[in-house]
Amino acid sequence: MAAVTCYTGLLLQRCIESDQLSKTYPEVGFSAFDRKGLVIISVFMYLELYLVPTGFLIMEGDNLHKLFPDVGFQLGTHEIGGRQFFIVMAGLVVLPSMWLKDLSKLSFVSACGVVSSLVVMGSIFWVGEFDGVGFRGKGTVLFDLSGVPKALSLYAFCYGAHPVFPTLYSSMKDKSKFSKVLFISFGLSTLSYISVAGMGYSMFGRDTLSQVTLNLPGGKISSKIAIYTAMAGPIAKYALIITPIAEAIEGSLPSPYNNRPTCILLRTLLLISTVIVALLFPFFGPLMALVGAALNVTVSILFPCACYLKISKAYQRWRLETVVIFGIIVFGFSIGVLGTYSSLKGIVKHAN
């Protein structure tokens, strides 16, 4: 998955180089397929940008409930569980950042991403090595082949950064280094994924949960460091990720209504809608697998291949690269269909 998505990132780079007017992902779609390409890519991209922050809220609720399992109260005849309470609280914490027009004050979070990942990895290792958990998890290498589509969907979610690649490329001072940046980023990401997955599975085996932080013993300092560090990033990133949707809605408003109070109201309603979705579908693993299969696979694998074939007209001359690209399309389409079915099945199972 890392190799495929890195290669499709390079295909996006070629698309931009062939049309210097394309500086965003939807513009690449317009260059390839005119207005319908722009509309389709925008729809998938904005859906992805909507559901990922929704997953952040679910993650916050799960981890805070892990730290404070006794939280919960009665509201009239309704019982409010700790997980639901913390999802709402996470939304309230995020709300002020949604009202900011200039998000440069939050952008430092992306630069701290590597550091926070290292802290989480170090804390998980510490729990296994020094806090009595050990690396004695039981399991087999291939114990459930039916889970492969869901697993690949989650992997696609991990590598689904393609909507920002055109913007990143266009803003680089030395554009010739884009491929090098891509290789280093994908390489480091893959190493970190393998490290956490290996440690988690060797510690907890088949009992490993969708978020390994939920497996960590709650009373240990190292566990709390891992959980709090894993939670800090999503809280600050929420507004950064969902703001493009807010800006797109605001840009479509008639000028008399495009004012500060209206924008604040729209952004608040947008946040409330994600909180409601998180409360209705509080299943982090299946939801992220659905995003990976239905959206990330489409945006990060299928669209880059289709746009490159159309812009370069490579489909008119059959070469090894053309065969490889069509093979990637078949691979991505298969994951998309099977992964979406598996994820929806998982959501229905959890809901029942």
Side-chain angles (χ1 to χ4, degrees), residues 201-223:
Y201 192 68
S202 61
M203 289 163 66
F204 306 109
R206 292 188 62 174
D207 295 325
T208 308
L209 299 174
S210 61
Q211 304 166 59
V212 73
T213 50
L214 300 179
N215 287 104
L216 303 181
K220 303 293 184 180
I221 296 297
S222 53
S223 298

Side-chain angles (χ1 to χ4, degrees), residues 1 149-150 152-153 156 289-298 301-302 328-344:
M1 185 61 71
K150 181 180 176 182
L152 290 175
S153 302
L290 178 62
V291 173
L295 301 176
N296 287 120
V297 165
T298 305
I301 297 178
L302 300 180
I328 290 174
I329 290 175
V330 173
F331 170 73
F333 184 78
S334 302
I335 294 173
V337 173
L338 295 175
T340 300
Y341 171 77
S342 174
S343 304
L344 289 173

Side-chain angles (χ1 to χ4, degrees), residues 12-307:
L12 272 181
Q13 177 188 0
R14 295 184 195 174
C15 291
I16 302 168
E17 289 174 344
S18 65
D19 182 6
Q20 297 298 325
L21 296 177
S22 299
K23 298 185 182 299
T24 65
Y25 201 171
E27 288 174 354
V28 172
F30 182 81
S31 177
F33 300 104
D34 298 326
R35 181 166 178 77
K36 61 183 178 182
L38 183 147
V39 171
I40 293 174
I41 288 180
S42 296
V43 168
F44 276 84
M45 190 176 77
Y46 288 136
L47 271 175
E48 178 185 342
L49 292 176
Y50 181 84
L51 289 176
V52 169
T54 303
F56 287 168
L57 294 176
I58 298 171
M59 177 182 172
E60 300 296 327
D62 288 344
N63 282 284
L64 284 169
H65 185 59
K66 165 77 176 180
L67 291 174
F68 308 102
D70 297 327
V71 172
F73 56 91
Q74 198 79 17
L75 186 63
T77 58
H78 299 283
E79 182 178 349
I80 306 299
R83 186 175 285 104
Q84 291 77 18
F85 172 75
F86 286 125
I87 287 175
V88 175
M89 288 299 101
L92 290 175
V93 171
V94 165
L95 184 58
S97 65
M98 286 290 293
W99 296 339
L100 296 175
K101 278 287 189 178
D102 181 11
L103 294 179
S104 60
K105 294 179 181 179
L106 293 176
S107 60
F108 75 93
V109 174
S110 60
C112 300
V114 175
V115 176
S116 63
S117 297
L118 291 174
V119 171
V120 172
M121 290 168 59
S123 300
I124 293 173
F125 175 78
W126 188 276
V127 170
E129 185 67 25
F130 302 108
D131 282 344
V133 174
F135 297 96
R136 298 181 293 272
K138 300 293 183 180
T140 56
V141 177
L142 292 174
F143 59 84
D144 186 4
L145 291 177
S146 65
V148 171
K150 181 180 176 182
L152 290 175
S153 302
L154 287 168
Y155 300 158
F157 174 78
C158 293
Y159 293 106
H162 291 58
V164 304
F165 285 171
T167 305
L168 175 64
Y169 175 83
S170 301
S171 63
M172 289 182 68
K173 184 177 181 181
D174 185 356
K175 294 178 174 55
S176 64
K177 294 183 178 179
F178 178 80
S179 57
K180 186 177 181 180
V181 171
L182 210 60
F183 291 138
I184 293 174
S185 300
F186 274 73
L188 292 176
S189 297
T190 302
L191 285 175
S192 68
Y193 297 152
I194 291 174
S195 299
V196 174
M199 286 190 293
Y201 192 68
S202 61
M203 289 163 66
F204 306 109
R206 292 188 62 174
D207 295 325
T208 308
L209 299 174
S210 61
Q211 304 166 59
V212 73
T213 50
L214 300 179
N215 287 104
L216 303 181
K220 303 293 184 180
I221 296 297
S222 53
S223 298
K224 292 181 179 180
I225 291 174
I227 293 173
Y228 283 127
T229 304
M231 289 167 54
I235 283 289
K237 289 178 182 177
Y238 182 100
L240 287 171
I241 294 177
I242 208 166
T243 290
I245 302 177
E247 291 178 341
I249 297 173
E250 292 164 5
S252 64
L253 292 174
S255 54
Y257 299 100
N258 195 348
N259 50 50
R260 183 67 176 159
T262 304
C263 292
I264 289 177
L265 176 61
L266 281 172
R267 289 167 182 250
T268 302
L269 292 175
L270 187 60
L271 172 62
I272 291 173
S273 71
T274 60
V275 170
I276 292 173
V277 173
L279 291 172
L280 292 175
F281 305 100
F283 323 118
F284 182 81
L287 180 62
M288 293 303 96
L290 178 62
V291 173
L295 301 176
N296 287 120
V297 165
T298 305
V299 172
S300 300
I301 297 178
L302 300 180
F303 284 163
C305 291
C307 289

